[in-house]
Amino acid sequence: MGNTENNTDYFKENGLPTKQQLRDLNASLQPGDVRPAAVEGADAERPEREPIDAVRRKIGCLREFVLPERYESLTGRLDHRTRYLVMCLEDIYYPHNASAVIRSSEAFGIQELHAVEHTVRFAPNKHIVRGTDQWLDIRKWTDTPALVGHLRERGYRIVATAPPRPTEEVDGRRVNFTPSTFDVQAGPFALFMGTEKSGISDWLADQADAIVSIPMVGFAESLNISVSAAIVAQRLAERVRDPRNAIAWQLDDEDRDRLLLRWLCHSVRDWRQILQRSGC
């Protein structure tokens, strides 16, 4: 096929960012703008690796070093966290878009975010994220099939966001929905947002169990990914939590406590020394 690195037409035809676009992106980043995904922390910040009894002892130790109001704030937000809906991104190459989706996910209580880095690294800007990434589980992947396989093994449906398809059904399955008509009661689902230029990949479009589209009546046929993510995530999260749908969307007790410990570590200065001195 030739040297695709220097073939601009190849990138245009496949909806990929060109080398010049990536150079422009890198040039726009200032020192210190990019922060690594929070999930890659030290072992002590990964309480899922510890026995739950040890996790709860540490919670008891660190609780003494935060104000009651702060502790209530943390536990109150945990009451609204969910993994029933997870957010997934394919090749997001503008830092402000990556950052905006992180903030929207955190704001609507979506605990888990996955980012595919097939053509460009996932690089949120810390000045836009404003610390919201520290409260989420963020995991990076090198390709979409690996992520989809991981999610399907965990029982998730694969839901892609895209403009409406010409047909309502594929292989006898209805695939086109809006955030208000998608069946949230049928089981946990992963919501995929595609790259800025071309949307979701063709492979993902073929693999998706459903396509969710935002109804629009103006001349605009699409919205910026950060806007789309906020609209769709807000509506779906609201419906997932609606008591009338009788969905068990909350975190289980063990998952909740592991997250609480991690959040306390983010909230307590010198938490390592405190835990060491207390023998927890």
Side-chain angles (χ1 to χ4, degrees), residues 45-105:
E45 296 177 86
R46 300 289 299 275
E48 64 270 22
R49 297 179 179 178
E50 297 184 86
I52 190 61
D53 290 344
V55 168
R56 288 167 178 159
R57 284 196 301 272
K58 290 182 178 181
I59 290 173
C61 292
L62 294 179
R63 181 175 181 176
E64 303 302 319
F65 292 86
V66 295
L67 292 172
E69 295 82 1
R70 177 61 172 174
Y71 188 80
E72 290 177 9
S73 175
L74 295 177
T75 57
R77 282 166 173 78
L78 281 170
D79 290 341
H80 294 92
R81 277 296 200 263
T82 187
R83 296 187 195 273
Y84 189 90
L85 157 62
V86 302
M87 181 68 74
C88 303
L89 304 174
E90 266 195 317
D91 288 325
I92 305 302
Y93 63 97
Y94 287 122
H96 61 273
N97 286 334
S99 307
V101 177
I102 288 175
R103 289 190 67 176
S104 295
S105 298

Side-chain angles (χ1 to χ4, degrees), residues 7 42 67 90 101 109 115 127 144 166-167 183 188 245:
N7 188 342
L67 292 172
E90 266 195 317
V101 177
H127 301 302
T144 304
T167 58
D183 185 2
N245 288 325

Side-chain angles (χ1 to χ4, degrees), residues 34 92 111 176 189 201 226 243:
V34 176
I92 305 302
Q111 181 58 36
N176 284 341
F189 58 96
S201 62
S226 60

Side-chain angles (χ1 to χ4, degrees), residues 223-248:
L223 298 170
N224 180 276
I225 180 176
S226 60
V227 177
S228 298
I231 292 173
V232 178
Q234 189 280 332
R235 180 61 179 140
L236 290 175
E238 179 182 53
R239 294 183 59 221
V240 163
R241 294 189 183 90
D242 190 331
R244 293 172 295 182
N245 288 325
I247 295 172

Side-chain angles (χ1 to χ4, degrees), residues 198-268:
S198 56
I200 61 171
S201 62
D202 292 339
W203 183 89
L204 181 59
D206 291 337
Q207 293 293 315
D209 299 306
I211 302 292
V212 169
S213 305
I214 299 172
M216 287 177 275
V217 296
F219 290 105
E221 296 180 352
S222 63
L223 298 170
N224 180 276
I225 180 176
S226 60
V227 177
S228 298
I231 292 173
V232 178
Q234 189 280 332
R235 180 61 179 140
L236 290 175
E238 179 182 53
R239 294 183 59 221
V240 163
R241 294 189 183 90
D242 190 331
R244 293 172 295 182
N245 288 325
I247 295 172
W249 56 265
Q250 295 93 339
L251 303 175
D252 63 44
D253 290 343
E254 183 172 320
D255 190 9
R256 191 177 186 279
D257 285 345
R258 293 183 187 280
L259 272 177
L260 177 57
L261 174 57
R262 200 173 81 204
W263 290 9
L264 282 169
C265 291
H266 289 311
S267 304
V268 177

